[in-house]
Coordinates of all heavy atoms in Angstrom, one line a residue:
Chain A
R857 N 82.0 86.9 86.9 CA 80.6 86.6 86.5 C 79.8 86.2 87.7 O 78.6 86.2 87.7 CB 80.6 85.5 85.4 CG 80.7 86.1 84.0 CD 80.5 85.1 83.0 NE 81.7 84.2 82.9 CZ 81.7 82.9 82.7 NH1 80.6 82.3 82.5 NH2 82.9 82.3 82.7
L858 N 80.5 85.7 88.7 CA 79.8 85.1 89.8 C 79.6 86.1 91.0 O 79.0 85.9 92.0 CB 80.4 83.9 90.3 CG 80.6 82.7 89.3 CD1 81.4 81.6 89.8 CD2 79.2 82.3 88.9
V859 N 80.4 87.2 91.0 CA 80.4 88.1 92.1 C 79.8 89.4 91.7 O 80.0 89.9 90.6 CB 81.9 88.3 92.5 CG1 82.0 89.2 93.7 CG2 82.6 87.0 92.8
Q860 N 79.1 90.1 92.7 CA 78.5 91.4 92.4 C 79.5 92.5 92.7 O 79.8 93.3 91.8 CB 77.3 91.6 93.2 CG 76.2 90.5 93.1 CD 76.4 89.5 94.3 OE1 77.5 89.4 94.8 NE2 75.3 88.9 94.6
N861 N 80.0 92.6 93.9 CA 80.9 93.8 94.2 C 82.2 93.6 93.7 O 83.0 92.7 94.2 CB 81.1 94.0 95.7 CG 79.9 93.6 96.5 OD1 78.8 93.6 96.0 ND2 80.1 93.1 97.7
K862 N 82.5 94.2 92.6 CA 83.8 94.0 92.1 C 84.6 95.3 91.9 O 84.1 96.2 91.1 CB 83.8 93.2 90.8 CG 82.6 93.5 89.9 CD 82.3 92.3 89.0 CE 80.9 92.5 88.4 NZ 80.5 91.3 87.7
G863 N 85.6 95.5 92.5 CA 86.5 96.7 92.4 C 87.9 96.3 92.2 O 88.6 96.8 91.3
S864 N 88.3 95.4 93.0 CA 89.7 95.0 92.9 C 89.8 93.5 93.2 O 88.9 92.9 93.7 CB 90.5 95.8 93.9 OG 90.0 95.6 95.2
A865 N 91.0 93.0 92.8 CA 91.2 91.5 93.0 C 92.6 91.4 93.6 O 93.6 92.0 93.1 CB 91.1 90.8 91.7
E866 N 92.7 90.5 94.5 CA 94.1 90.2 95.0 C 94.4 88.8 94.5 O 93.7 87.8 94.6 CB 94.0 90.2 96.5 CG 95.4 89.8 97.2 CD 95.2 89.2 98.6 OE1 95.0 88.0 98.6 OE2 95.2 90.0 99.6
V867 N 95.6 88.7 93.9 CA 96.1 87.4 93.4 C 97.2 87.0 94.3 O 98.2 87.7 94.4 CB 96.6 87.5 91.9 CG1 97.1 86.2 91.4 CG2 95.4 88.1 91.0
A868 N 97.0 85.8 95.0 CA 98.0 85.4 95.9 C 98.7 84.1 95.5 O 98.0 83.1 95.3 CB 97.4 85.2 97.3
Y869 N 100.0 84.2 95.2 CA 100.7 83.0 94.8 C 101.2 82.2 96.1 O 101.2 82.8 97.2 CB 101.9 83.4 93.9 CG 102.8 84.4 94.5 CD1 103.9 84.0 95.3 CD2 102.6 85.7 94.1 CE1 104.7 85.0 95.8 CE2 103.5 86.7 94.6 CZ 104.5 86.3 95.5 OH 105.4 87.3 96.0
S870 N 101.4 81.0 95.8 CA 101.7 80.1 97.0 C 103.0 80.4 97.7 O 103.9 81.0 97.1 CB 101.7 78.7 96.5 OG 102.7 78.5 95.6
S871 N 103.1 79.8 98.8 CA 104.3 80.1 99.7 C 105.5 79.4 99.2 O 105.5 78.5 98.4 CB 104.0 79.5 101.1 OG 103.9 78.1 101.0
E872 N 106.6 79.9 99.7 CA 107.9 79.4 99.3 C 108.0 77.9 99.6 O 108.5 77.2 98.7 CB 108.9 80.1 100.3 CG 110.3 79.6 100.2 CD 111.0 80.0 98.9 OE1 110.7 81.0 98.4 OE2 111.8 79.1 98.4
L873 N 107.4 77.5 100.7 CA 107.4 76.0 101.0 C 106.7 75.2 100.0 O 107.3 74.2 99.5 CB 106.7 75.8 102.4 CG 106.6 74.4 102.8 CD1 107.9 73.8 103.3 CD2 105.5 74.2 103.9
K874 N 105.5 75.6 99.6 CA 104.8 74.9 98.6 C 105.6 74.8 97.3 O 105.6 73.8 96.6 CB 103.4 75.5 98.3 CG 102.5 75.3 99.5 CD 101.1 76.0 99.2 CE 100.2 75.9 100.3 NZ 99.1 76.9 100.1
R875 N 106.2 75.9 97.0 CA 106.9 76.0 95.7 C 108.1 75.0 95.7 O 108.4 74.4 94.8 CB 107.4 77.4 95.4 CG 106.2 78.4 95.2 CD 106.6 79.5 94.2 NE 107.7 80.3 94.8 CZ 107.5 81.3 95.6 NH1 106.3 81.7 96.0 NH2 108.5 82.0 96.1
R876 N 108.7 74.9 96.9 CA 109.9 74.1 97.0 C 109.4 72.6 96.8 O 110.0 71.8 96.1 CB 110.5 74.2 98.4 CG 112.0 73.9 98.4 CD 112.5 74.1 99.8 NE 112.0 73.2 100.7 CZ 111.6 73.5 102.0 NH1 111.6 74.8 102.3 NH2 111.1 72.5 102.8
V877 N 108.3 72.3 97.5 CA 107.7 70.9 97.3 C 107.4 70.6 95.8 O 107.8 69.6 95.3 CB 106.5 70.8 98.2 CG1 105.8 69.5 97.9 CG2 106.8 70.9 99.6
A878 N 106.7 71.6 95.2 CA 106.3 71.4 93.9 C 107.5 71.2 93.0 O 107.6 70.2 92.1 CB 105.6 72.6 93.3
K879 N 108.6 71.9 93.2 CA 109.8 71.8 92.4 C 110.5 70.4 92.6 O 111.0 69.8 91.7 CB 110.8 73.0 92.7 CG 110.3 74.2 92.0 CD 111.3 75.4 92.2 CE 112.7 75.0 91.6 NZ 113.6 76.1 91.9
A880 N 110.4 70.0 93.9 CA 111.0 68.7 94.2 C 110.2 67.6 93.4 O 110.8 66.7 92.9 CB 110.9 68.5 95.6
L881 N 108.9 67.8 93.3 CA 108.1 66.8 92.6 C 108.4 66.8 91.1 O 108.5 65.8 90.5 CB 106.6 67.1 92.8 CG 106.0 66.7 94.1 CD1 104.6 67.2 94.3 CD2 106.1 65.2 94.3
V882 N 108.5 68.0 90.5 CA 108.7 68.0 89.0 C 110.2 67.6 88.7 O 110.4 66.9 87.7 CB 108.4 69.3 88.3 CG1 106.9 69.5 88.4 CG2 109.2 70.5 88.9
T883 N 111.1 68.0 89.5 CA 112.5 67.6 89.1 C 112.7 66.1 89.4 O 113.7 65.6 88.9 CB 113.5 68.4 89.9 OG1 113.1 68.4 91.3 CG2 113.6 69.8 89.4
N884 N 111.7 65.5 90.0 CA 111.8 64.1 90.2 C 111.8 63.3 89.0 O 111.9 62.0 89.0 CB 110.7 63.7 91.2 CG 111.0 62.3 91.9 OD1 112.2 62.0 92.0 ND2 110.0 61.6 92.2
G885 N 111.6 63.9 87.8 CA 111.6 63.1 86.6 C 110.6 63.7 85.6 O 110.9 64.1 84.5
S886 N 109.3 63.7 86.0 CA 108.3 64.2 85.1 C 107.3 64.9 86.0 O 107.3 64.9 87.2 CB 107.6 63.0 84.4 OG 107.0 62.2 85.4
V887 N 106.4 65.6 85.3 CA 105.4 66.4 86.0 C 104.4 65.4 86.5 O 103.8 64.6 85.8 CB 104.7 67.4 85.0 CG1 103.7 68.2 85.8 CG2 105.7 68.3 84.4
P888 N 104.1 65.4 87.8 CA 103.2 64.4 88.4 C 101.8 64.6 88.0 O 101.3 65.8 87.8 CB 103.3 64.6 89.9 CG 103.8 66.0 90.1 CD 104.6 66.3 88.8

Side-chain angles (χ1 to χ4, degrees):
Chain A
R857 270 185 291 144
L858 301 175
V859 182
Q860 308 94 333
N861 330 331
K862 35 203 164 189
S864 58
E866 180 206 86
V867 179
Y869 53 87
S870 61
S871 65
E872 175 66 36
L873 174 74
K874 287 178 187 165
R875 294 209 298 275
R876 210 182 63 228
V877 172
K879 283 181 63 184
L881 283 171
V882 293
T883 47
N884 199 26
S886 61
V887 181

